Amino acid sequence: MSAAVIWENAVLVLIYMTAWFAISLIYKDNSLADVAWGLGFLIIAVYTLLSAPHFHARSLLTSILILFWATRLSGYIWLRRKKRRGEDFRYAQWRRKWGRFFVLRTYFQVFLLQGMFMLIIALPVMAINSTGNQKALGFIDILGLAVWIAGFIFETAADRQMSRFKKDAANRGRILTEGLWKYSRHPNYFGEALMWWGIMMLALPVANGWIMVISPLLMTILLRFVSGVPMLEKKYAGNPEFEAYARRTNAFIPWPPRPVSD
């Protein structure tokens, strides 16, 4: 993959995220950045696929996987936003905290920062779609596809279980501890990380493909230690039900619940 491919996509992401920033100002809702997240990867996939001199089975497969993931995730977040009828609590807190510097910090710390992460995480997609003379699909590709499918099923099932749980008014203020959520406090995040490990495996047969490990590593770190698990769990700080749940349930990687003595 040439440096020109990276620079072209960097400009594309800059324009894309700036446009979403402008839309967020109009609607006064910075949680639109979450809707933009998945679709941004789809734009990168389509651009690099159409810019390549030749289509390959691996690039077509990778782009189709990104299409399924991006449309499902962004669609799910959009529908959740419509039901919520307001800005996500995390962005609302920043709106209050940042005060008069809110607009400037939003552009750089929300939209452009997410764009930078998007560009790095999408490196395997860019490498696969822009590299010619690729080897035929083999065992590592099948394994990567299997890992991606497992992650997709995990994330989709976890989101559906959460949606059903929240639809029941009797669950208002309660914690979902059944289904996949019995084994992980954030099975949807785990599924998303798993999908990117699968995409990275598809990039391994490409020249210097091992470098693409930076993509799933960054995604996993962000979800587990930065913008995913920690930020969401701040909402439940001091909640006795959640604290009991956390003592017996892994935060990220699914595992049988730990026995907790009274």
Side-chain angles (χ1 to χ4, degrees):
M1 178 173 60
S2 67
V5 172
I6 298 176
W7 279 110
E8 287 174 9
N9 281 276
V11 172
L12 181 66
V13 169
L14 174 63
I15 296 171
Y16 174 76
M17 294 306 288
T18 300
W20 274 100
F21 167 68
I23 294 171
S24 75
L25 291 179
I26 294 171
Y27 286 93
K28 297 181 180 180
D29 184 359
N30 283 334
S31 51
L32 285 170
D34 294 338
V35 178
W37 175 252
L39 294 178
F41 288 92
L42 180 58
I43 286 179
I44 291 173
V46 171
Y47 176 76
T48 52
L49 184 67
L50 296 180
S51 300
H54 303 288
F55 290 167
H56 298 277
R58 185 173 291 104
S59 59
L60 288 172
L61 173 61
T62 302
S63 298
I64 289 171
L65 297 183
I66 295 298
L67 171 65
F68 276 102
W69 168 74
T71 53
R72 192 214 71 85
L73 180 63
S74 291
Y76 172 78
I77 294 174
W78 174 259
L79 291 174
R80 188 178 64 184
R81 173 187 174 273
K82 289 184 69 176
K83 292 176 183 177
R84 185 177 61 240
R85 295 182 181 179
E87 194 171 45
D88 182 274
F89 76 95
R90 290 165 290 185
Y91 294 101
Q93 286 177 348
W94 288 339
R95 186 180 291 273
R96 293 190 295 269
K97 181 180 178 181
W98 291 346
R100 61 184 179 136
F101 297 106
F102 173 75
V103 173
L104 188 64
R105 292 187 67 171
T106 292
Y107 182 56
F108 286 99
Q109 291 183 234
V110 176
F111 287 88
L112 290 193
L113 184 61
Q114 283 200 24
M116 183 187 71
F117 289 145
M118 183 189 300
L119 193 67
I120 296 172
I121 294 169
L123 283 174
V125 180
M126 289 186 270
I128 292 169
N129 286 0
S130 64
T131 301
N133 300 319
Q134 296 185 26
K135 298 177 182 178
L137 295 176
F139 174 76
I140 192 68
D141 299 289
I142 295 172
L143 187 59
L145 176 60
V147 170
W148 186 92
I149 291 173
F152 185 80
I153 292 172
F154 225 90
E155 182 180 52
T156 303
D159 283 342
R160 286 181 177 176
Q161 289 170 4
M162 180 58 76
S163 293
R164 287 198 300 267
F165 181 80
K166 288 186 174 181
K167 281 182 180 178
D168 189 344
N171 293 325
R172 188 179 299 276
R174 298 187 60 233
I175 306 297
L176 174 58
T177 60
E178 299 296 329
L180 294 176
W181 301 82
K182 179 178 180 180
Y183 306 98
S184 168
R185 302 201 300 272
H186 302 275
N188 52 337
Y189 290 159
F190 172 78
E192 184 159 341
L194 199 60
M195 280 187 279
W196 283 98
W197 284 101
I199 294 292
M200 182 274 295
M201 295 172 73
L202 290 172
L204 286 178
V206 177
N208 299 315
W210 63 270
I211 299 174
M212 301 306 156
V213 72
I214 189 175
S215 167
L217 272 178
L218 177 58
M219 177 64 89
T220 303
I221 290 170
L222 288 174
L223 291 173
R224 176 60 185 89
F225 300 106
V226 184
S227 62
V229 174
M231 290 183 64
L232 190 58
E233 294 201 346
K234 283 182 180 179
K235 180 180 180 180
Y236 300 102
N239 183 316
E241 183 183 3
F242 180 79
E243 290 177 355
Y245 172 56
R247 284 195 295 271
R248 65 178 183 268
T249 310
N250 273 8
F252 194 69
I253 299 175
W255 197 256
R258 294 178 291 273
V260 179
S261 57
D262 294 333

